[in-house]
Amino acid sequence: MKKELCAIEDEVPLVVGLGATRPLSSFHTKQCSAVSLFQRKFFPDSNPADWSSWKWQVQNSITNVETLSEMFSLTEKEITALKSSSVSLPFRITPYYASILYGKDENYALRKTMIPVSDEMIEGFGESGDPLCEEHMSPVPNVVHRYPDRVLFLATEFCSAYCRYCTRHRVVGNKNELHRFSSKSWEKGIDYIASHPEIRDVLISGGDPLTMPDARIDYLLSRLRAIPHIEIIRLGTKVPAVLPQRITPKLVRMLKKYHPLMMSIHFTHPDEVTLESSVACRMLADAGIPLGSQTVLLKGVNDDAKVLTDLYHRLLTIRVRPYYLYQCDPVQGSSHFRTSVNTGLRIIEQIRGFTSGYAVPTYVIDAPGGGGKIPILPEYYQGRDDKYVYLKNFEGNRYRYPDPIDPSVR
Ligand SMILES: *Cc1c(COP(=O)(O)O)cnc(C)c1O
């Protein structure tokens, strides 16, 4: 193993995967040597310090079919999509994330989330470019105000890697949308928030806000923190999973100034919990930032109770609390990713009760048309009569609860 590439291994032993605190496992030793092999093969002029630099990772991200085909033997379906002009979401993947996909074929879960296939060109039943009607709920271009007390602030159109099922692919990676993320547009958004005292929670997303330079994030956070009615600020990001090098001590020191600050991290699959992403999450958690995960339920990727349980267990070991499991939005070109809602319900049934409640996220459908996130649960509540509420537990056994009569709610 090339030692320098895994400089982080010198730090405190880390818990990754299941089990107690332990030093670098053989899994991670293997991972490190695989990464160093990948780097030497495809980036022969780079050195280990380059690999650990997030700017190098962004600058050397793979964005075209030529480079990609040197690394992977691409299928017909992938090549068609990569070359097609009707696939609107650009292709982009960091060298780090590509090293996770390396050596795996087209059936590999995470490859499907990053390398487009021609199914993206199909428009399925009920799909649209803006299923959540965010554009209709934007009082100013980069603010979505759907709920009474909180807003979504779209800070940038850029991501370091583009998920193929992105619900916001009308915006992300789209150079025509740059104007709405200029400093001027930010001002309008900040003004809007400042003049609406009912807003107590701002969720900064995009694009991926952590792809912005420290100074820009610092500026936005300082402006929002200066608004007296803003209680909490949240960042929505996939950076710890696709560009963990971005989580630097300097970034974390800056973020800490803006507490209470929380982070929702987009994790998809247990293979994303690597040594690097674990170190990134540890730094964030040590800075007192509560970490939650958001996962999209995806066919052939993670639509399996075992895979999701494994992901959730691993996330808890790196101090990330599963927050939401999303039914995949009916965004254009998503039909090959979408499972039935029944699949989701069955998966939740197989997780809830069988493991720590902390490992169970809320399964939601973000209602097409702008209804917001609606939680859906397997039928644990089976109805009631005058005396009892009827319940079914995780093992399918029936119970009843003697429900006190409360005339005020009848
Ligand atoms: C998801 C979302 C939020 C945050 O919702 P929580 O349930 O509070 O996490 C806020 N605004 C919009 C538009 C959203 O889509």
Side-chain angles (χ1 to χ4, degrees):
M1 174 176 53
K2 286 261 295 249
K3 184 100 175 162
E4 317 87 282
L5 273 179
C6 296
I8 30 189
E9 96 179 80
D10 297 333
E11 296 192 5
V12 187
L14 192 70
V15 187
V16 181
L18 308 179
T21 302
R22 57 181 189 224
L24 202 65
S25 67
S26 67
F27 168 76
H28 288 111
T29 309
K30 266 195 227 130
Q31 187 203 335
C32 282
S33 23
V35 165
S36 102
L37 208 79
F38 181 84
Q39 185 187 4
R40 265 182 277 140
K41 184 153 185 201
F42 297 110
F43 303 93
D45 302 331
S46 66
N47 59 48
D50 288 334
W51 187 266
S52 335
S53 147
W54 73 274
K55 289 183 179 158
W56 183 92
Q57 288 281 340
V58 171
Q59 280 156 7
N60 289 276
S61 286
I62 303 122
T63 57
N64 62 56
V65 60
E66 291 74 29
T67 321
L68 192 67
S69 58
E70 287 165 20
M71 297 175 179
F72 300 93
S73 97
L74 297 174
T75 65
E76 234 12 83
K77 277 174 109 177
E78 288 170 333
I79 293 170
T80 307
L82 285 158
K83 290 189 167 165
S84 163
S85 56
S86 65
V87 170
S88 57
L89 183 71
F91 166 73
R92 171 177 274 277
I93 181 172
T94 57
Y96 161 77
Y97 207 74
S99 77
I100 298 178
L101 313 192
Y102 184 58
K104 315 252 173 58
D105 70 10
E106 70 274 16
N107 298 315
Y108 178 53
L110 291 176
R111 173 158 164 169
K112 295 181 195 172
T113 69
M114 285 292 148
I115 303 184
V117 289
S118 50
D119 302 81
E120 272 186 41
M121 296 146 79
I122 301 167
E123 188 173 332
F125 166 68
E127 292 178 359
S128 86
D130 180 18
L132 310 182
C133 280
E134 293 187 326
E135 301 295 337
H136 289 282
M137 297 185 160
S138 287
V140 292
N142 52 356
V143 169
V144 183
H145 196 171
R146 192 192 327 270
Y147 297 104
D149 69 340
R150 56 207 189 279
V151 293
L152 177 64
F153 188 100
L154 304 179
T156 171
E157 87 303 335
F158 184 78
C159 289
S160 55
Y162 291 116
C163 309
R164 302 320 303 174
Y165 46 85
C166 180
T167 194
R168 224 164 273 139
H169 84 201
R170 68 181 190 284
V171 182
V172 303
N174 186 341
K175 298 222 164 55
N176 300 327
E177 296 282 351
L178 275 172
H179 61 276
R180 76 151 119 187
F181 304 108
S182 65
S183 309
K184 214 163 124 199
S185 76
W186 273 17
E187 289 308 309
K188 281 196 208 132
I190 294 164
D191 283 350
Y192 178 85
I193 294 166
S195 59
H196 286 76
E198 71 275 19
I199 301 172
R200 39 164 289 288
D201 172 2
V202 180
L203 169 53
I204 305 171
S205 182
D208 196 320
L210 289 186
T211 60
M212 300 191 293
D214 288 3
R216 209 148 181 247
I217 304 171
D218 198 356
Y219 174 77
L220 181 57
L221 290 174
S222 70
R223 292 294 306 277
L224 293 172
R225 204 19 102 219
I227 301 171
H229 52 266
I230 296 307
E231 295 170 7
I232 62 171
I233 303 175
R234 302 189 257 173
L235 288 161
T237 179
K238 195 175 168 71
V239 151
V242 291
L243 182 65
Q245 298 79 4
R246 174 68 185 101
I247 310 302
T248 60
K250 184 161 162 274
L251 174 74
V252 168
R253 269 198 307 278
M254 182 270 285
L255 294 177
K256 267 172 86 164
K257 295 188 293 182
Y258 300 106
H259 275 314
L261 181 80
M262 301 173 181
M263 200 174 277
S264 293
I265 309 174
H266 178 20
F267 277 106
T268 301
H269 189 275
D271 289 358
E272 291 178 327
V273 184
T274 62
L275 179 64
E276 289 90 339
S277 62
S278 305
V279 169
C281 289
R282 182 175 64 191
M283 288 167 69
L284 294 166
D286 282 350
I289 303 172
L291 306 176
S293 75
Q294 315 203 81
T295 301
V296 182
L297 182 62
L298 299 167
K299 195 193 281 177
V301 175
N302 59 14
D303 60 337
D304 179 301
K306 275 209 200 78
V307 172
L308 284 180
T309 302
D310 187 19
L311 171 65
Y312 297 147
H313 285 171
R314 282 167 175 253
L315 288 177
L316 288 179
T317 66
I318 62 168
R319 295 146 81 189
V320 179
R321 159 78 157 104
Y323 181 43
Y324 281 137
L325 174 66
Y326 290 100
Q327 176 66 17
C328 185
D329 291 332
V331 68
Q332 229 154 50
S334 65
S335 55
H336 57 301
F337 280 125
R338 287 190 287 125
T339 65
S340 68
V341 173
N342 255 334
T343 301
L345 284 171
R346 233 178 314 112
I347 288 173
I348 291 295
E349 245 170 2
Q350 290 170 51
I351 300 178
R352 164 72 63 194
F354 292 95
T355 190
S356 326
Y358 268 112
V360 188
T362 305
Y363 177 39
V364 294
I365 300 181
D366 213 332
K373 298 175 185 71
I374 301 177
I376 40 176
L377 266 183
E379 299 194 343
Y380 299 118
Y381 177 83
Q382 302 255 304
R384 60 160 308 128
D385 60 21
D386 286 352
K387 292 199 179 99
Y388 293 103
V389 160
Y390 295 90
L391 304 162
K392 191 178 77 177
N393 83 344
F394 70 103
E395 293 166 304
N397 301 325
R398 317 255 159 184
Y399 297 86
R400 57 185 194 181
Y401 173 82
D403 199 25
I405 293 174
D406 180 355
S408 67
V409 291
R410 289 230 136 177

